[in-house]
Amino acid sequence: MNQLYEAIQKKSKLKESIKIIGIGAGNSPFEVDFFRKKYKIPFPLFSDQDLSIHKVLGEVRTPYFIGVRINPDDNKAEVFYSKLGAFKDPNIFLDQMIKLSGVI
């Protein structure tokens, strides 16, 4: 995820359009902060200790990736990607997110 974040930050058009957040399903703020420091996570991480976010998302297993596009006309969110499992190559995954989202 750090490599994906860095790839986004290197492209000026992308760093304003694509954002990454992490949700610690079942994790306390202490656990999330420990993880952030240990793995030097540069993007926002949120604790979901009571699993409320996890439940709204359908109680999916992790890792799980959701791509959301905000429609500029009506400001509504649209899910364009939703998939369980890790990706192998951050650059290939980023290219896929760019194509599916239409961000560029």
Side-chain angles (χ1 to χ4, degrees), residues 46-62:
F46 299 93
S47 168
D48 185 25
Q49 189 168 359
D50 66 357
L51 296 170
S52 60
I53 299 169
H54 182 69
K55 288 177 185 170
V56 168
L57 295 176
E59 300 183 88
V60 295
R61 293 181 295 158
T62 61

Side-chain angles (χ1 to χ4, degrees), residues 8 41 62 81-82 98:
I8 292 167
I41 305 298
T62 61
Y81 182 86
S82 178
I98 291 168

Side-chain angles (χ1 to χ4, degrees), residues 23-91:
I23 300 169
N27 298 124
S28 70
F30 174 82
E31 291 169 316
V32 168
D33 194 47
F34 179 83
F35 184 84
R36 177 186 295 110
K37 289 176 183 173
K38 180 176 182 177
Y39 295 103
K40 298 178 177 126
I41 305 298
F43 51 86
L45 298 177
F46 299 93
S47 168
D48 185 25
Q49 189 168 359
D50 66 357
L51 296 170
S52 60
I53 299 169
H54 182 69
K55 288 177 185 170
V56 168
L57 295 176
E59 300 183 88
V60 295
R61 293 181 295 158
T62 61
Y64 198 91
F65 295 90
I66 301 172
V68 178
R69 172 182 33 241
I70 307 298
N71 184 328
D73 296 329
D74 59 11
N75 228 20
K76 289 186 179 179
E78 173 192 0
V79 174
F80 67 85
Y81 182 86
S82 178
K83 189 172 180 182
L84 173 67
F87 54 82
K88 293 181 182 178
D89 183 309
N91 292 308

